[in-house]
Amino acid sequence: MKKIVFIAILLLSQAGISNAQTVMYSETHTNGQTATTQCNNWNAFRNQLNPGVYLRMIIKGTFDQTGLVCTDRTIVNNMALAIKNASAYISPTANGHVWSVCNRYNGETWVDPPSMCSGSNCPNPGYILRPCITNLNWGGVNTATCGAPTQVMTIIFEAGYPCTDTPKTSLNGPTQVCPKRKFTIKPDSFYADADYKYEFSFNGTTWSNYPGVVDTTTGGITDSITAAKYYRLTVKCRNNSYSWTTPVHKVSIAPFYYCYCETQVRSDAGADVGNLKVINMTSGDTVITTAPLTTGITTPLYNNSEANKVYSTYQDSVAWPCLYRDTTYRFIITQAHTTSSLTSTVAHVYIDLNRDGAYNPNTERVAIKAINGTGNPPEVAQIDYKIPTSAAIGYTGMRIVVSEDTIKLAPCDTLDGQGEIEDYIVEICHRPCDGPVAAGIVSSTDTSMCKDYEYTLTDTTYQKDRSAYNIAWEVSGDNVSWFNVPNSTGKDTLQRIFTGQPLYYRLRTICPATTDTSYSSPTLVNSKPGYKCYCYSKALGGVSADTSDIGGVTIATINTNNGGPHVLNPNAVLPRTDHTDDKPAEMFIDSLYSFYVYHTMKSVEHGDAKITIFMDFDNDHEYDIPNERVYTGFSSIGNYTLIDNVQIPKTVITDVPTGLRVILNNDVGPNVPSDEACGGYTSGETEDFMVIFRNKIPESVGQIQGLSGFGLYPNPTQGIFNVQFNSSSIIDDVNLVITNITGQTVFEEAYKVQTGEFNESINLSSQPAGVYFVELYADGNKLIRKLVIQ
C-alpha cells in the first residue's frame, strides 16, 4: 500500500490576535483511490485560515511523483492555491518546487496554480495535486506526465506573523507544575520566518542558554523542573535585524496536593465515574457533587457516549470543601457505561490523611466497595467513612477510583480493563464549634510606645481544635466602651501605628451556630514618657530587603549581644530595637569610653554598612548635628566589628536620663537617616538607649585615665600573643577577659601587678580562627581591643 500523508499545523495568528491556537490536520490516502473524506477534511481545515494569515510550508520526505487525489475539482484547486500563496512568502528549496494540478486518469494535462482545472483538461473521475521540480526528469518520468505516487510525503503548514516588524510576543505556559513532570512553554504569537532562542534562570538575574530543542512549528519548548525556574525568549527575524525579548515567565513548583502519582486505566470503554456525591452525615450538607457528563446529570446510565474517560481531574474545577475531623461522610459513587449492560467494578476512595504527598494503600484507602449489580440501585456504591481525629489539618488530595481490575488495588497502579480515576482537593478541618470558643491571650511587640512607631498585636493562643467560628479585634480608649477594628475579621495578627493615645485591645470569638461570644483579656498599649521619645528612625525594607542588623553594642554598662555569626545569621531581621525601658547607663563627664558595634547579616555575602552613634548631650530630646553625632564608621568584609572611643564633654546636662542612638545603615553614602539620626532607610537597624551623665568619677568608672600603650602583639596572631600597657601610677590588680564574637567568654584571669607596667603572654591556640575582644580591667579602668586569630 502506497500512501501520502498531509499534516497541517495552524497557529491562528493575525493582526489583533494575541492568543494562538494549534489545529491539527492529517489525512492518509491510498494509491489509486479517491479520497473524498480526506479532501473534505482538508477543505474544513483550510476554511479556518483567517484572512491575511501568514503561511510557511515545509516539505519532508522523498518528492517522487507523489500527489493527492480528490474527486472535487474545487477542493484540489483551493489546496493548490493555498500552497501557492504560502510558497510566495518563502523561497522554495533548491531547484524550486512548482505545484501542479492535473487529471490523473485522462490526458494527464497539467496547469500551475492558481489556474483552475477545467472540465476539458481535468475531467472526472479525479484530480491530483503534486510537487514538481522544474526542468528535471522526475523518477524517470517527464514532468509533463503524471506517474503513479510511489513515496510518502509530509507537508507542514505554519501560520503566523510575517517578520516584517519587531516580533513582539509573550510566553504562554503553566505558572506552577509538579516536580519532574514535563510541560510546554511557547510564544503566544508565532513568527514563521524567525529564530527562537530561550534562556533560563533560577533566580531571575543570572541567565543561561536553554539547551533543549525548540519546536520549529510552534516556537515552544518542553521542560521539567524540581525547583522554581525563570524563562525568557528572544525572537530574531531571519531576513532583517528585528528582534524581541519576551517578559520573564516564572514556573514554580506546585503544592504537594496537585502532585500525586500519575495513573490511569488502560481502557476508555465501558464503565466511568458518572457522578460523585459526598454528604456530611451530621449536618446533611452535600459538600461535593459532580456531574461531569455533558448531559449535566448521570443519565443515561447506559449507552452513554460520554463515559469514555480514563482519568479526570477536578482539582480546580470543583470547590475545595472542608472534611471535618471526627465526622462521618457518605460517598455516593454512581457508575455510567458506554454499553447497554452493567460492568462489574470496584470503587475506591483515597484521602491523603497525613498530608505527606502520597496515598498509602494500607492506611489511606478510606473506602472500597463493589459495583456489581447487587446494590440498590445496582450502579451505585454507597460508602460511609469517619474522618479520624488524627488527620492532619490543611489542604490535601482525594482520589476516586472505579476499576474493572480487582487485582491491582494500589492507588498508583495503571489498571487493566475499564474504569476511571478522578483527583480532587479537599481540606481537613477541625470540627465546627458547638459552644463558646476560648479567645486566648493578646501580646504586643511593645506596650510602651512613642508616636508614629509601629507595633504588632498577636493572639495565636485562641482555641484551635474547633472550626467554623469567627475572630475579630476590638479596641477601646477606656476599657469600657469597645469598638470593632476595621478589616480585622479572621486575623490573629494586627499591625498598628501608635498615634500617641493609649489604647486597649482584645480578640473576640463568635460561634455562629450557638451565638456564643468570648473575649481575651484586654492588653494596654500605653504612651512612653516623653524623654524616651526621639525622632522616627528604623529600617523599612521588610523581610525581603532588610539584610543587616546590629549584632551587639558595648559602651559603659551597656552590653547587648544577639549572638550568631556575621553572615547567614537568622537573628539579623530587626528594623529597630528599643532599650529605653532598660535602666539608664551612667557615664561621666570629661571621660573617654571605649565602645564596639558588631555588624550581622542574614545574607550569605557581606555588605558594607555605615555605623553612626548619637548622644543627646544637652537633653533637648533632639540629636543636634554635628555636635551630637559622636561617631561615624564603616564596616567592611574584614572589619565588621568597629571599636573606637568617645569623649564625654564637660558641658553635658547631668543627672537626667537622655538619649543614645546607634544606627547601622547599608546605605554607606551621605544620607539623612544616618547623618542626622532621623527617618527611615531600607536595610539595617536602629537601637535606642538611655544614659545619665554624672559629675563624680568613682573608682569603678570604665574610663581610660593614666593608662597608655595598651596593645596586643602580634595581631593578627596564630593564637599566642602578648598583652601590655603602662600606667603613670602603680597598678595593684588587673583582670583580663577575652570573649568571642557571640559574647562567650573564652579566657578570664586575675593578676597581682603592683607595678606601673603589665606584659603577659596569652595562649589561645586552641580557639578557632575568628574575631575576639580583649577587655582589660585595671584598678577601675576598662579598655577594649579587638584580636584576630588566623
Side-chain angles (χ1 to χ4, degrees):
M1 177 181 294
K2 302 178 179 65
K3 62 181 180 180
I4 175 172
V5 180
F6 281 77
I7 301 175
I9 298 176
L10 174 63
L11 297 178
L12 299 178
S13 303
Q14 68 180 68
I17 298 178
S18 60
N19 294 321
Q21 181 181 0
T22 301
V23 180
M24 294 297 298
Y25 166 78
S26 65
E27 79 125 62
T28 300
H29 174 63
T30 303
N31 178 37
Q33 297 178 355
T34 58
T36 302
T37 301
Q38 291 88 337
C39 292
N40 288 338
N41 288 344
W42 153 260
N43 199 49
F45 165 77
R46 186 193 65 81
N47 290 335
Q48 296 181 70
L49 297 176
N50 293 311
V53 77
Y54 176 80
L55 286 176
R56 180 176 68 150
M57 183 180 64
I58 301 174
I59 306 172
K60 299 179 180 179
T62 303
F63 313 143
D64 181 11
Q65 302 185 51
T66 306
L68 172 69
V69 174
C70 290
T71 57
D72 189 317
R73 182 172 62 211
T74 302
I75 291 177
V76 77
N77 276 291
N78 285 340
M79 183 185 293
L81 184 60
I83 294 174
K84 181 76 172 182
N85 291 338
S87 302
Y89 284 104
I90 296 179
S91 298
T93 56
N95 300 317
H97 291 100
V98 177
W99 287 82
S100 301
V101 178
C102 81
N103 167 20
R104 181 168 178 259
Y105 300 106
N106 186 3
E108 297 183 348
T109 303
W110 294 88
V111 293
D112 289 338
S115 300
M116 299 296 144
C117 282
S118 66
S120 60
N121 59 19
C122 289
N124 290 328
Y127 305 89
I128 183 169
L129 177 70
R130 74 169 189 179
C132 300
I133 301 177
T134 308
N135 300 323
L136 291 179
N137 287 336
W138 197 19
V141 181
N142 189 278
T143 56
T145 62
C146 181
T150 59
Q151 299 291 336
V152 174
M153 179 179 66
T154 300
I155 302 172
I156 300 174
F157 287 98
E158 296 177 353
Y161 290 103
C163 222
T164 56
D165 201 346
T166 302
K168 295 182 179 180
T169 186
S170 297
L171 289 177
N172 273 350
T175 57
Q176 60 179 24
V177 297
C178 295
K180 299 182 180 180
R181 293 191 189 172
K182 291 183 178 180
F183 60 92
T184 299
I185 295 177
K186 61 184 179 181
D188 59 7
S189 297
F190 181 69
Y191 292 80
D193 53 343
D195 293 317
Y196 294 78
K197 177 184 176 183
Y198 280 86
E199 295 176 290
F200 72 92
S201 171
F202 291 108
N203 57 16
T205 303
T206 304
W207 294 89
S208 302
N209 291 331
Y210 178 72
V213 177
V214 178
D215 189 330
T216 57
T217 63
T218 65
I221 59 173
T222 299
D223 201 3
S224 63
I225 62 175
T226 57
K229 199 170 181 179
Y230 300 79
Y231 299 86
R232 66 185 182 190
L233 165 66
T234 298
V235 183
K236 189 177 186 311
C237 298
R238 296 194 185 106
N239 301 320
N240 52 54
S241 60
Y242 293 123
S243 67
W244 173 261
T245 299
T246 65
V248 173
H249 182 86
K250 181 181 179 182
V251 182
S252 301
I253 296 297
F256 76 89
Y257 40 77
Y258 281 101
C259 299
Y260 292 90
C261 53
E262 294 183 283
T263 184
Q264 64 178 27
V265 296
R266 296 189 189 277
S267 174
D268 61 1
D272 264 17
V273 179
N275 177 265
L276 169 68
K277 182 178 289 188
V278 182
I279 302 172
N280 183 329
M281 297 303 291
T282 300
S283 65
D285 296 329
T286 299
V287 298
I288 295 178
T289 179
T290 61
L293 305 184
T294 56
T295 55
I297 55 176
T298 318
T299 55
L301 292 179
Y302 300 97
N303 296 316
N304 193 321
S305 62
E306 295 299 318
N308 58 357
K309 314 293 190 302
V310 294
Y311 174 80
S312 301
T313 176
Y314 297 96
Q315 292 170 318
D316 286 321
S317 59
V318 172
W320 302 355
C322 268
L323 300 184
Y324 298 124
R325 280 178 171 179
D326 199 29
T327 301
T328 298
Y329 290 87
R330 175 163 292 171
F331 296 80
I332 302 174
I333 303 170
T334 302
Q335 185 170 289
H337 310 79
T338 57
T339 62
S340 59
S341 60
L342 176 77
T343 299
S344 294
T345 63
V346 175
H348 315 245
V349 179
Y350 297 89
I351 301 176
D352 183 11
L353 296 171
N354 62 1
R355 303 182 70 241
D356 67 348
Y359 294 115
N360 187 310
N362 298 316
T363 60
E364 295 181 329
R365 186 177 67 198
V366 302
I368 180 170
K369 190 169 184 179
I371 303 176
N372 56 13
T374 60
N376 185 21
E379 305 87 359
V380 175
Q382 181 171 294
I383 307 162
D384 291 348
Y385 177 74
K386 186 176 183 179
I387 304 297
T389 304
S390 60
I393 298 297
Y395 294 114
T396 194
M398 183 177 77
R399 175 164 288 180
I400 307 295
V401 178
V402 167
S403 171
E404 187 182 20
D405 185 345
T406 59
I407 298 175
K408 300 174 183 175
L409 299 180
C412 296
D413 285 337
T414 297
L415 304 173
D416 293 325
Q418 304 172 19
E420 184 187 7
I421 296 169
E422 295 183 347
D423 276 335
Y424 298 81
I425 295 174
V426 298
E427 183 181 7
I428 304 296
C429 302
H430 293 289
R431 188 162 53 85
C433 63
D434 53 6
V437 178
I441 300 173
V442 173
S443 64
S444 177
T445 52
D446 290 286
T447 56
S448 176
M449 292 294 299
C450 293
K451 188 176 182 294
D452 296 329
Y453 276 99
E454 302 92 342
Y455 59 101
T456 302
L457 297 157
T458 305
D459 185 350
T460 57
T461 59
Y462 54 88
Q463 190 172 353
K464 298 286 198 316
D465 61 352
R466 290 293 181 269
S467 65
Y469 63 89
N470 302 320
I471 63 172
W473 291 86
E474 293 185 333
V475 63
S476 172
D478 57 7
N479 199 20
V480 176
S481 299
W482 290 87
F483 304 92
N484 293 329
V485 176
N487 303 315
S488 69
T489 301
K491 298 178 180 178
D492 56 21
T493 300
L494 198 62
Q495 305 288 338
R496 309 297 285 171
I497 297 177
F498 191 65
T499 62
Q501 177 189 356
L503 293 171
Y504 295 86
Y505 291 91
R506 68 185 184 187
L507 189 73
R508 180 194 67 207
T509 62
I510 300 176
C511 180
T514 62
T515 68
D516 286 299
T517 302
S518 301
Y519 303 93
S520 66
S521 298
T523 293
L524 173 63
V525 179
N526 211 341
S527 57
K528 193 181 289 288
Y531 71 87
K532 295 182 180 181
C533 293
Y534 285 78
C535 58
Y536 184 90
S537 174
K538 68 179 295 185
L540 304 176
V543 174
S544 60
D546 185 9
T547 62
S548 287
D549 259 19
I550 297 172
V553 174
T554 295
I555 184 171
T557 57
I558 295 171
N559 189 354
T560 66
N561 196 312
N562 294 328
H566 166 54
V567 295
L568 289 175
N569 189 335
N571 296 321
V573 295
L574 300 175
R576 175 179 180 262
T577 303
D578 187 357
H579 300 282
T580 60
D581 289 331
D582 298 342
K583 181 180 178 181
E586 290 190 342
M587 304 181 75
F588 297 88
I589 67 172
D590 198 24
S591 300
L592 187 67
Y593 287 85
S594 295
F595 69 84
Y596 83 77
V597 180
Y598 169 44
H599 177 192
T600 64
M601 303 191 69
K602 68 178 181 181
S603 58
V604 68
E605 295 182 356
H606 168 83
D608 293 347
K610 176 189 283 190
I611 296 171
T612 44
I613 300 177
F614 304 84
M615 291 187 182
D616 184 12
F617 294 135
D618 61 6
N619 195 235
D620 65 350
H621 305 300
E622 295 181 358
Y623 294 114
D624 302 317
I625 307 303
N627 295 333
E628 294 180 340
R629 185 178 61 227
V630 299
Y631 173 80
T632 298
F634 300 87
S635 72
S636 64
I637 192 170
N639 184 31
Y640 44 80
T641 301
L642 302 187
I643 299 178
D644 212 318
N645 304 313
V646 59
Q647 179 76 35
I648 307 302
K650 298 179 181 179
T651 57
V652 300
I653 303 298
T654 61
D655 301 324
V656 292
T658 194
L660 185 156
R661 172 168 285 178
V662 182
I663 298 175
L664 186 149
N665 185 355
N666 280 115
D667 182 357
V668 297
N671 64 87
V672 170
S674 284
D675 301 335
E676 300 182 18
C678 298
Y681 48 93
T682 300
S683 175
E685 185 186 8
T686 296
E687 292 200 0
D688 282 321
F689 304 87
M690 300 304 295
V691 298
I692 294 179
F693 299 117
R694 303 292 193 190
N695 281 311
K696 187 178 179 181
I697 306 176
E699 290 184 358
S700 60
V701 172
Q703 66 180 113
I704 304 173
Q705 182 172 340
L707 299 181
S708 62
F710 178 33
L712 311 173
Y713 66 91
N715 188 12
T717 176
Q718 297 297 318
I720 300 176
F721 62 99
N722 280 50
V723 180
Q724 70 172 24
F725 71 89
N726 298 313
S727 173
S728 59
S729 60
I730 293 176
I731 299 296
D732 290 325
D733 298 306
V734 171
N735 289 324
L736 197 63
V737 178
I738 302 176
T739 58
N740 61 19
I741 198 79
T742 65
Q744 180 183 9
T745 299
V746 299
F747 180 90
E748 185 172 8
E749 190 69 48
Y751 301 90
K752 287 290 185 180
V753 181
Q754 296 182 337
T755 68
E757 296 181 354
F758 181 83
N759 193 329
E760 286 289 332
S761 178
I762 308 297
N763 187 349
L764 292 184
S765 56
S766 63
Q767 296 296 323
V771 176
Y772 295 81
F773 302 101
V774 179
E775 300 181 12
L776 182 71
Y777 299 86
D779 283 356
N781 298 296
K782 176 183 175 182
L783 303 96
I784 301 176
R785 292 290 183 268
K786 181 170 71 173
L787 173 73
V788 177
I789 297 180
Q790 296 179 329

